[in-house]
Amino acid sequence: MYKDFKLGLCQMLVTMSKEENLAKAIEIVGKAASSGCNIIVLPECFNSPYGTNYFAEYAEDISDSESPTLKTLKSLSIQYSIYLIGGSIPEKNENKIFNTSVIFNPNGEIIGIHRKVHLYDMDIPGGIRCFESDVISPGNQATIVNTEYCKIGIGICYDINFPEYSWTLSKDDTVGILIFPGCFNIDSGSKYWELLMKVRAFDNSIFVAGCSQARNNDASYVSWGHSIVVDPLGQHENIDEKEGILIKDIRFDELVRWRNNILFRKHKRFDVYRQ
C-alpha cells in the first residue's frame, strides 16, 4: 500500500520577474533532486508575486503547450525522474482565473490539477486586506494523485483551514500524505501555520506537509515561510523563513503503527455529525 520516499519542500524566494522565478525553481528543484528527493514540492504562486493585483498579469493557460511554467515543470520532472508538485500558479481559463497546482510524474505527464477550493478573503483593520474572490474563481474538487509511493492529497494554502477538506482527502486509507503549497502571511503564519498542519496530521492520522515561499521583506505581501512536515502523531520538522529546502524521509511504518494502535479513524460517527 505504501512505499517510503524522500520528500523535498523547496522554499524559494519569489520576485517580480517570472523569468527569475522559473530560473530559481530550476535551481532549487535540481538541488533537491541531487539530494535524492523522490517527490519535490514548490510553493504557492512560485512563478509570480502573491497578490490579487498580480494574478491576471502572470496567469498562464495550462492547456497551452507553450506555457513557460508548465514547460519548465515538465522538463524538470523528466530530467530528474521525480514527482513534481508544481506549487501553484495563476491559471487563465477562458474568462476566469484560478489558483492552480499542476502535478507531474517522472515521465513528464500531468497526473493531477488542483484548483484552490477555498478562497482567502480577509480584512484586518489597520492590517492586511486581501480578497482573493475579487479576482480568483474557486475550484470544485478535492484532488488526489496516484504515485508509486502512495496516493497524495493536494490542497493549496487556505484549503488546510477546513477540516472537512482534509478528511475528504485522507479518508481513503491508501492516501499517505497531504501536501499544501502555501503562502501564509506573517500575521496568520505566526498564529496558525504550524498549528493547522499539526491538527490536520493528528486528527486524520496522516503525514502533512506545507511548502511556503521564502520571506521577502520587500514584497507587498510578506510570506511567513517555515515550510513544515508533520507526522501522524503531530511531531514536526520545519525550516526558518529564509530560502532553503526541507528534506524529510517519509517512513510509513509510523503511520501504519499509529493507525493500528489508535483507531479513531474508525470511530468517526457520521450518523451523529450534522452540517
Side-chain angles (χ1 to χ4, degrees):
M1 182 186 298
Y2 305 117
K3 179 181 175 183
D4 295 348
F5 66 91
K6 190 181 292 290
L7 176 68
L9 305 181
C10 295
Q11 183 168 288
M12 57 174 276
L13 190 68
V14 174
T15 72
M16 295 292 293
S17 167
K18 182 183 287 188
E19 291 75 17
E20 289 180 4
N21 295 333
L22 294 182
K24 174 59 68 175
I26 292 170
E27 176 188 349
I28 201 166
V29 168
K31 289 180 178 178
S34 67
S35 297
C37 294
N38 313 108
I39 297 176
I40 298 176
V41 187
L42 289 164
E44 181 182 23
C45 289
F46 78 92
N47 73 343
S48 72
Y50 178 87
T52 55
N53 53 322
Y54 299 117
F55 293 144
E57 176 185 353
Y58 286 80
E60 297 181 24
D61 179 354
I62 65 173
S63 67
D64 183 355
S65 61
E66 294 305 309
S67 159
T69 301
L70 264 66
K71 286 175 68 175
T72 298
L73 296 176
K74 178 178 180 178
S75 175
L76 288 169
S77 64
I78 295 172
Q79 179 180 356
Y80 296 112
S81 190
I82 54 170
Y83 289 92
L84 182 55
I85 298 172
S88 81
I89 66 170
E91 177 202 356
K92 177 172 55 181
N93 189 310
E94 296 180 346
N95 61 341
K96 294 182 178 180
I97 295 175
F98 297 94
N99 188 344
T100 302
S101 182
V102 184
I103 301 96
F104 289 82
N105 70 14
N107 297 318
E109 300 164 333
I110 294 174
I111 58 172
I113 296 173
H114 177 69
R115 296 180 173 97
K116 190 174 186 177
V117 173
H118 305 91
L119 302 183
Y120 187 56
D121 289 350
M122 66 176 298
D123 189 0
I124 300 175
I128 295 173
R129 185 184 189 279
C130 178
F131 279 78
E132 288 186 332
S133 61
D134 286 347
V135 177
I136 297 175
S137 296
N140 59 10
Q141 69 173 17
T143 303
I144 297 173
V145 297
N146 286 298
T147 77
E148 65 191 88
Y149 305 104
C150 65
K151 290 180 181 177
I152 299 174
I154 305 293
I156 297 174
C157 201
Y158 193 49
D159 286 339
I160 200 171
N161 285 58
F162 299 87
E164 299 86 353
Y165 183 75
S166 288
W167 172 247
T168 298
L169 294 175
S170 63
K171 63 184 178 181
D172 179 345
D173 284 341
T174 60
V175 177
I177 187 169
L178 309 183
I179 295 180
F180 293 86
C183 193
F184 276 44
N185 60 61
I186 289 180
D187 182 66
S188 62
S190 62
K191 294 180 175 70
Y192 311 124
W193 173 257
E194 182 179 310
L195 173 66
L196 287 168
M197 299 290 170
K198 288 182 174 181
V199 170
R200 298 296 169 256
F202 187 83
D203 63 16
N204 293 295
S205 297
I206 200 165
F207 287 96
V208 173
C211 183
S212 174
Q213 288 187 18
R215 188 176 302 174
N216 181 355
N217 290 310
D218 295 326
S220 57
Y221 179 99
V222 182
S223 174
W224 171 241
H226 295 272
S227 293
I228 187 170
V229 180
V230 188
D231 73 15
L233 283 73
Q235 299 170 338
H236 77 284
E237 294 181 23
N238 67 281
I239 57 177
D240 60 19
E241 77 281 2
K242 296 183 289 293
E243 189 168 85
I245 305 170
L246 176 57
I247 297 174
K248 173 68 174 176
D249 287 311
I250 303 298
R251 302 189 183 280
F252 286 110
D253 56 344
E254 303 173 33
L255 181 147
V256 172
R257 182 170 60 252
W258 183 245
R259 288 184 179 179
N260 288 339
N261 292 342
I262 306 296
L263 306 178
F264 60 75
R265 284 173 60 88
K266 297 181 180 180
H267 296 159
K268 291 183 183 289
R269 291 288 306 275
F270 292 103
D271 59 319
V272 174
Y273 311 150
R274 295 290 182 268
Q275 292 185 350

